[in-house]
Amino acid sequence: MQGVARHPHCVHCGVVKNVSSDRTRGVCYFTGILGTMRELADAQRRLIAKELVSSTGFSDTYAMTGMDQVELFIRTVRKYSNIPVRDIINHLS
């Protein structure tokens, strides 16, 4: 009798690695998008980038999915600006 195949997991905390097609992206991807958003002032870009980098698990390929990153990015941009969600999503495309 065979059991369920083992999934890659973090040896420190035990979180199972995301092996779906919804992969995470590096922080540089999102800071690059911030650079293209002309609606933002430089100070807003720095605050958003700083918060993304300091977010727990934002770059963690085990715990975070790509959609989780996008949602966090949208929430953070909305926190520091009045850019509509639709426009933020257009920048991500």
Side-chain angles (χ1 to χ4, degrees):
M1 181 172 174
Q2 290 189 1
V4 177
R6 294 185 60 107
H7 293 286
H9 63 281
C10 178
V11 295
H12 301 290
C13 66
V15 173
V16 175
K17 184 175 185 177
N18 173 25
V19 292
S20 71
S21 60
D22 188 18
R23 302 285 179 165
T24 57
R25 296 185 182 257
V27 174
C28 294
Y29 172 79
F30 292 99
T31 55
I33 290 172
L34 288 175
T36 66
M37 299 176 81
R38 301 289 175 219
E39 306 94 330
L40 295 173
D42 288 341
Q44 289 172 306
R45 284 188 189 96
R46 283 192 298 272
L47 288 169
I48 293 166
K50 183 177 179 179
E51 188 163 325
L52 290 176
V53 168
S54 67
S55 295
T56 305
F58 187 76
S59 297
D60 187 353
T61 59
Y62 281 78
M64 191 68 79
T65 64
M67 194 60 177
D68 291 337
Q69 282 184 322
V70 168
E71 290 173 4
L72 181 60
F73 179 77
I74 292 171
R75 261 196 325 264
T76 307
V77 171
R78 293 282 300 150
K79 179 178 175 180
Y80 292 102
S81 72
N82 292 326
I83 301 173
V85 172
R86 172 184 58 245
D87 293 344
I88 299 169
I89 292 171
N90 286 339
H91 281 287
L92 289 167
S93 301

